[in-house]
Amino acid sequence: YTLSLHDALPILTGAMSAGISGLKAHMDALNVVGNNVANVNTQGYKPGRVTFKESIYSTQSAGSAGTTTVGGTNPQQIGYGVGVGTIDLDMSSQSLDSTGRGMDCAIQGDGFFLVGDKTHDIDSMDALKGLTLTRVGNFEFRDGYLTDGQGNVVYGFITRSNGDDPGTTPGDKPSTDLVPIRLPMKSTDPNSKGDAVYVGVDDQTGANVYPDNDPAATVDGFVDLENISIDKNGKITGTNKDTGDPVVVGYIALGSVENLNGVLHTEGPYYTAGNAAGDIRVGTPGNSVTGNLRNDKITDGNNVVDPDSALAEGSGATLMTGFLEASGTDLATEFANMIIYQRGYQANTRIVTVTDTMLEELVNMKR
């Protein structure tokens, strides 16, 4: 049998293609390692992990079953290299970095803080999934709203009155609406000047009534708070500077998804709950007040509110204040992977160079 150039070229170019695919796959893996190492001190960073998969096969023979006289034959297939199978994020809880800031919060357990803008109306599951998810709780009040380090407004359940008089003691009763967390309004009534005016309740409809939207409310601006703190259940409290009274602002919400590894990383510490993540379940840290929380605006696919739905059930996670979640990068693992990927890349370069040498010899053969 004489090996012709026509016969040899597909074989050798197939080997070279396999080597090139190996170079690309290992380069992608090294990129993931490099990103993990670069974010070794990034709070809330979730490291990536690469798995490889075989590329498509060329079937030379499909194989056959045995007969009464001869045995069967096995399939004959030639692979065309390797590709990146998955790039997964390790979404498990990590160790904590102490910051000493009373407004910093780290989630212990599964779940995410929900952030967005001031005008996002949560009236459906799609709208709920339009919020951004994050594990980094570097919070502070800006212009009356609780925001994270990037200026996104944090969502939760703010305190409302008992429904009789918006200026009375709130009774630590949270609103049923998932809304941007903001400070209570400041009363300008001469009889209660400086008092905190909370969200009220409409006696007829039971809906929340916000003082700044109520013409009858005598308010001007937000209450000035000092000694603000957040407890493990996400409860935000402070002291009214004007009156010295304690003020319960509300509760930080936590969202959990059906498939934790299905969230889509966007930029920085933020994720979105795409189709792979499933629906978002909303509650408070520790489920401390979940029994009172019911966002009646959120309906099922048939636009029907299910009073027994799990839309207000959190993950049961709690908060550690004064801490932020540390990076999940393990340098020992990353350096070991870097060596493995480097040697894999090096081995594939040898396939390319050896194939090139064989092609050169084939072209230079004397006939």
Side-chain angles (χ1 to χ4, degrees):
Y1 176 74
T2 302
L3 181 65
S4 68
L5 186 63
H6 179 270
D7 295 328
L9 275 175
I11 299 174
L12 295 178
T13 55
M16 182 170 286
S17 296
I20 293 173
S21 72
L23 295 177
K24 291 180 178 179
H26 283 83
M27 193 68 253
D28 287 340
L30 282 170
N31 286 338
V32 173
V33 169
N35 190 53
N36 289 342
V37 173
N39 286 281
V40 66
N41 290 314
T42 302
Q43 275 77 25
Y45 176 73
K46 301 302 181 183
R49 183 199 66 170
V50 175
T51 62
F52 298 107
K53 68 175 182 180
E54 302 164 85
S55 291
I56 60 173
Y57 280 81
S58 172
T59 302
Q60 310 297 314
S61 172
S64 62
T67 68
T68 56
T69 57
V70 297
T73 59
N74 294 326
Q76 298 179 16
Q77 295 177 295
I78 297 178
Y80 282 92
V82 66
V84 173
T86 61
I87 302 178
D88 306 309
L89 293 177
D90 180 4
M91 298 300 296
S92 60
S93 299
Q94 303 298 330
S95 59
L96 305 181
D97 289 336
S98 176
T99 65
R101 296 182 73 251
M103 294 287 287
D104 285 345
C105 299
I107 302 173
Q108 291 196 296
D110 294 339
F112 299 90
F113 299 112
L114 303 169
V115 300
D117 58 43
K118 298 177 182 178
T119 60
H120 194 78
D121 186 20
I122 311 299
D123 59 357
S124 65
M125 178 55 70
D126 288 340
L128 178 60
K129 295 181 73 171
L131 292 177
T132 303
L133 314 175
T134 182
R135 295 273 299 184
V136 180
N138 52 340
F139 301 143
E140 62 180 301
F141 278 100
R142 296 191 183 101
D143 299 324
Y145 285 82
L146 185 66
T147 65
D148 68 3
Q150 304 301 316
N152 296 297
V153 180
V154 182
Y155 275 65
F157 302 91
I158 58 178
T159 300
R160 73 183 190 189
S161 71
N162 292 325
D164 298 323
D165 182 2
T168 59
T169 304
D172 191 15
K173 185 176 182 180
S175 164
T176 57
D177 282 336
L178 178 65
V179 294
I181 296 177
R182 65 178 189 181
L183 297 173
M185 306 299 289
K186 183 187 296 187
S187 173
T188 58
D189 189 316
N191 297 321
S192 58
K193 190 172 182 179
D195 282 354
V197 179
Y198 301 89
V199 171
V201 180
D202 188 288
D203 293 332
Q204 301 298 321
T205 65
N208 295 324
V209 177
Y210 297 92
D212 53 345
N213 296 325
D214 183 0
T218 53
V219 295
D220 182 23
F222 295 105
V223 168
D224 294 323
L225 286 191
E226 58 185 357
N227 303 322
I228 302 175
S229 64
I230 303 173
D231 70 9
K232 67 177 183 178
N233 295 320
K235 182 180 180 179
I236 308 170
T237 58
T239 303
N240 188 335
K241 288 184 180 180
D242 294 327
T243 65
D245 295 329
V247 173
V248 179
V249 178
Y251 290 80
I252 294 174
L254 288 185
S256 59
V257 294
E258 296 171 352
N259 177 17
L260 189 60
N261 292 317
V263 295
L264 180 64
H265 201 171
T266 54
E267 60 178 351
Y270 300 116
Y271 305 86
T272 56
N275 293 332
D279 289 342
I280 298 179
R281 302 291 185 258
V282 180
T284 54
N287 290 337
S288 57
V289 293
T290 298
N292 296 324
L293 304 181
R294 178 60 56 193
N295 190 340
D296 295 333
K297 291 182 180 179
I298 301 179
T299 57
D300 60 19
N302 297 318
N303 203 33
V304 176
V305 175
D306 180 3
D308 298 321
S309 69
L311 290 173
E313 290 183 2
S315 62
T318 58
L319 301 184
M320 279 286 290
T321 54
F323 293 86
L324 292 176
E325 187 175 37
S327 170
T329 297
D330 181 355
L331 284 179
T333 299
E334 300 304 329
F335 286 155
N337 287 339
M338 181 171 62
I339 294 172
I340 294 171
Y341 298 150
Q342 180 187 17
R343 293 307 181 193
Y345 188 93
Q346 186 179 31
N348 279 279
T349 62
R350 295 296 300 156
I351 294 294
V352 174
T353 55
V354 168
T355 304
D356 177 58
T357 301
M358 294 175 67
L359 282 170
E360 182 181 8
E361 293 294 330
L362 182 61
V363 171
N364 294 332
M365 285 178 61
K366 292 183 179 180
R367 299 184 182 278

